[in-house]
Amino acid sequence: MTGLGHRFAADSVGRALDLVGERWSLLILRESFFGVRRYGEFARNLAIPRPTLSARLKTLVDAGVLDRVDPVPEYVLTPAGRELFGAVVTLMQWGDRYLAGPEGPPILLRHKDCGEVADAVVACRHCGGEIATDRVIPEPGPGFR
């Protein structure tokens, strides 16, 4: 393949969206990040149809994003689920910037370490530089087919 064609051969974005790209799945994750654990709390907070909630929770548990903990069923984020926090925060910040009403964002995230309202960025783990479309070059990785 030439150019950027390899993007489509082993598409991690597509695989991730297959799992969490549906509206209800992302909203369940958002609620999980903010401490919701019980089925009834998800149903109440999201006003989600119960059959849809059951199906989405099962999918997230089967995929290893949430664990179901008994005897009183609770849904707890796994390490893989907690790693999705950055993606959800990035979507939230984008929505705050481009879709919020004139009164501003509905939720602010205050950083416990410094006390300021968090402004998350995607940064390189090696140099700390911000990652943006004009600062990366896509190339085939080890999973390239």
Side-chain angles (χ1 to χ4, degrees):
M1 272 182 224
T2 60
L4 299 178
H6 66 276
R7 294 182 307 189
F8 306 109
D11 182 20
S12 294
V13 172
R15 289 186 296 230
L17 285 174
D18 285 344
L19 175 61
V20 297
E22 186 272 332
R23 170 187 168 82
W24 290 119
S25 296
L26 283 173
L27 292 176
I28 289 167
L29 285 171
R30 180 199 64 198
E31 291 300 301
S32 295
F33 294 138
F34 296 149
V36 173
R37 302 281 181 265
R38 296 200 174 167
Y39 185 94
E41 293 172 318
F42 287 114
R44 181 192 68 234
N45 291 4
L46 297 173
I48 181 175
R50 288 183 180 261
T52 302
L53 175 58
S54 295
R56 296 306 179 275
L57 286 170
K58 180 178 182 342
T59 297
L60 294 170
V61 168
D62 290 348
V65 173
L66 293 174
D67 275 334
R68 182 185 160 147
V69 180
D70 292 320
V72 177
E74 290 189 335
Y75 296 89
V76 179
L77 289 160
T78 65
R82 285 190 297 276
E83 282 193 36
L84 287 166
F85 184 70
V88 172
V89 167
T90 300
L91 279 172
M92 185 179 106
Q93 285 186 169
W94 185 89
D96 290 347
R97 187 171 294 117
Y98 297 105
L99 304 173
E103 60 281 349
I107 297 173
L108 298 174
L109 301 177
R110 186 150 317 271
H111 190 232
K112 288 182 180 180
D113 292 346
C114 71
E116 296 296 323
V117 172
D119 184 22
V121 296
V122 179
C124 176
R125 182 182 311 272
H126 301 284
C127 72
E130 189 170 349
I131 295 176
T133 59
D134 62 343
R135 296 180 182 255
V136 295
I137 301 168
E139 59 185 50
F144 175 76
R145 290 180 275 247

